[in-house]
Amino acid sequence: MKLKLHWQILIAMALGIIFALIAGEKALVVAPLGTIFMRLLKMIIVPLVLFSITSGVASLGDSRTLGRMGLKTFGYYFLTSISAIVIGLLLTNLIKPGVGVSIDTGVGSFDPSNLSNSGGILGILIRMIPTNPVQAMAEGNMLSIIFWSIAFGFGITRLDGKPKEILTNFFNAGFEAMMKITHGIIFLLPIGVFGLISKAVASSGWDLFRAVGMYMVTIFTGLTIHIFILLPLIFWFFTRINPLKHFRAMAPAMATAFSTSSSGATLPVTMDCVENNVGVSNKTTSFVLPLGATINMDGTALYECAGVIFIAQALGFDLSFAQQFVIVITAFLASVGAAAVPSAGLVMIFIVLDAVGLGEHPGAALIVGTMLAVDRPLDMYRTMVNITSDSIGAAIIAKSEGETDLYKNY
Ligand code: ASP
């Protein structure tokens, strides 16, 4: 009998860890397996987002449906991101991971200018509008591609007769072809995961983890509460379906997010699981998920908030209520603006630091350097939280749109 994909992946993960622990640095020989898998996933992202959002918006039919779906999608994304941030806020105030931390770990060679070029929130919003959509696609600029695809899809809905039919069919067919390619790539998942996990374990320095132990514990706890308690509750509240079904259906995508640390690279797998395992319609999947992968990052939002309060605590600042409120808002915006790639959340932390006036503090840059050094496991986990929230959103919205054939095999 053939083993189910999620078991294959779990076994690949375990083997990857064991292999890296035994072989040490030598485990890096299998790193190319992970690299090849990542490249295959990345290869598909730009055309997938272009075809799926354009066909998604075009098949919504009219601006009323588009408005309704848009409102639900953004409403859900806002709700879950803010609740994640509040969890981060409460935990950092409770555990106080930064109090008493002295960071002079000699990570030294860190150059903060590498991190701080995120350009501010307004800049992100303005840059969302591509001056040249082809260039946006060539550069893989997701927000711009989404903006263009929504505009294009909307344009198609305004056409009549044959032209409308031709373009809608073209983009629907293109989207289906992308999903077929994705399905092919997914067969390689266990091999890719093995390569990625071996590399992550083999190249981690364990000593540093101890210096910022409580910080890591805080983030892990927050992410765990969010993904395994709060999100399932929200899911159950709106659908009355057992959340375990959802986790089982999404296991391959969750494992891919965990091993790639990139919601963008995971998007094809997320879409495949939501469409084929959860049973959400093509129309909902293709609208909700590409948007979600780019702007809905609960794990990252929680991390931005907790990370900045940790830094403030380590620098000996006591943040006022008003400052913490500013952190909640900017953490949300930073998570929306963060790219769906590894460690993007850490880059955005400077935006939140700036908002409370700590951006220029030399100590802050040093601490961010240390956070960077231990970021990998946190990034893996928050990416998994990010895509889980997207997929729960897709299921909730599908249910609310009257889709009934969900979780048939789970
Ligand atoms: N790696 C995360 C993602 O792709 C973003 C982050 O760094 O928080 O979802």
Side-chain angles (χ1 to χ4, degrees), residues 103 107 110-112 115-116 215 303 307-308 310-311 345-350 353 358-359 361-375:
I103 304 258
V107 219
F110 167 69
D111 174 8
L115 286 172
S116 52
Y215 152 75
Y303 172 80
V308 168
F310 164 74
I311 294 173
L346 197 66
V347 179
M348 299 303 281
I349 217 158
F350 278 98
L353 281 172
L358 290 176
H361 196 295
L366 201 61
I367 299 174
V368 174
T370 313
M371 287 159 76
L372 179 66
V374 297
D375 194 48

Side-chain angles (χ1 to χ4, degrees), residues 12 54 96 104 112 133 148 192-193 230 248-249 256 260 296 301 372 382:
T54 311
K96 297 196 190 313
D104 50 6
W148 162 254
V193 164
L230 195 85
R248 273 201 292 270
T256 310
T260 59
N296 180 47
L372 179 66
R382 64 180 188 256

Side-chain angles (χ1 to χ4, degrees), residues 261-264 297 300 339-346 379 382-383 386:
S261 292
S262 164
S263 331
M297 299 195 180
T300 307
V341 298
S343 280
L346 197 66
D379 195 11
R382 64 180 188 256
T383 308
N386 291 347

